[in-house]
Amino acid sequence: MLAPDKKNEPSISDIVDEAMLTRRSVRAFLPDPVDDETIRDILRVAARAPSGTNMQPWKVYVVSGERKKALSDAILSSGVRPEKIEWDEYKYYPDKFFEPYLSRRRAVGYALYSLLGIGRREVERMRAQHDRNFTFFDAPVGLIFTIDRRLNKGSWIDLGMFVQSVMIAARGRELHTCPQAAFAPYHKQIRPILGIPDEEIVVCGMALGYEDASKPENDLRSERAPLEEFVSFVR
């Protein structure tokens, strides 16, 4: 019997690179459901992410259906605007942006609003677009990631690797994601709905589902700096 021809089969590097290169923040999803077993598979695979002394410091709350709607309603009806809310658990961004980070932040914001036809002075439309974070951009599944507040910065690095692993595992199943720090300061609204204890910090959310390719915001492709800007080979 002849051995199967593997010349045309993709290599492991091709498969992994494809998953990583096609991962992006999708901001409009189809209503098509994602079954629980697929979500479990994604999280099971992602849990192979490394962590210091195998502490595995991540926690995930998977929300859908009526509970997801209740979470969205609680935030949107809170009366607290994102630009006014206090980041009282942790700060994601610096108090004052500086280069090159300021330019990168502005560039991706302008690119998104341009695709949506939102002008620089259309504040209400900008706010409405930002509020779509809290509906998980209409994705059928939302994830809320937490970490024990007694843990230190190293465990936050571990959590970040787990979150990235979730997104890559989702791509392997032809699903898309959008990681969302916007949920973090609304932990007071989120906790009672999901039953999150006080000893856990709400770190971020994530939308999970199938991309709505008809929406212009999903044409966004954010730029990446060339290697020369962030890599040093020291010999």
Side-chain angles (χ1 to χ4, degrees), residues 112-130:
L112 175 62
Y113 292 141
S114 177
L115 287 168
L116 291 167
I118 299 176
R120 296 187 181 186
R121 296 184 179 180
E122 293 186 279
V123 176
E124 290 306 314
R125 291 187 67 195
M126 290 181 182
R127 286 176 173 172
Q129 174 60 28
H130 188 275

Side-chain angles (χ1 to χ4, degrees), residues 12-167:
I12 293 177
S13 62
D14 289 337
I15 295 169
V16 174
D17 288 357
E18 177 72 8
M20 296 188 74
L21 291 171
T22 60
R23 187 226 59 83
R24 52 194 168 82
S25 295
V26 164
R27 294 178 173 86
F29 289 84
L30 296 170
D32 303 18
V34 180
D35 64 86
D36 287 354
E37 193 53 40
T38 297
I39 300 169
R40 289 190 180 94
D41 286 344
I42 289 170
L43 297 173
R44 190 179 296 115
V45 170
R48 294 304 307 172
S51 60
T53 62
N54 199 32
M55 289 170 61
Q56 306 170 63
W58 41 79
K59 292 283 184 70
V60 192
Y61 295 81
V62 181
V63 61
S64 61
E66 289 302 315
R67 192 61 63 91
K68 183 171 76 72
K69 184 180 184 302
L71 187 153
S72 299
D73 290 346
I75 293 174
L76 292 171
S77 65
S78 67
V80 185
R81 292 295 313 159
E83 62 269 22
K84 298 292 186 180
I85 197 166
E86 181 182 2
W87 285 69
D88 57 349
E89 293 279 62
Y90 78 97
K91 287 189 176 182
Y92 193 100
Y93 296 112
D95 292 331
K96 185 176 182 179
F97 281 94
F98 51 94
E99 295 300 341
Y101 313 110
L102 177 60
S103 294
R104 293 173 182 171
R105 173 181 172 85
R106 284 176 172 170
V108 75
Y110 293 156
L112 175 62
Y113 292 141
S114 177
L115 287 168
L116 291 167
I118 299 176
R120 296 187 181 186
R121 296 184 179 180
E122 293 186 279
V123 176
E124 290 306 314
R125 291 187 67 195
M126 290 181 182
R127 286 176 173 172
Q129 174 60 28
H130 188 275
D131 283 351
R132 283 181 48 73
N133 271 284
F134 305 122
T135 65
F136 296 94
F137 298 109
D138 298 328
V141 179
L143 308 176
I144 297 293
F145 297 86
T146 71
I147 193 169
D148 193 306
R149 68 176 64 251
R150 295 169 294 183
L151 295 175
N152 219 321
K153 292 179 181 179
S155 292
W156 285 66
I157 296 172
D158 298 339
L159 175 60
M161 290 188 281
F162 172 71
V163 170
Q164 169 76 348
S165 297
V166 171
M167 293 187 284

Side-chain angles (χ1 to χ4, degrees), residues 131 169 201 226 232:
D131 283 351
I201 294 176
S232 298

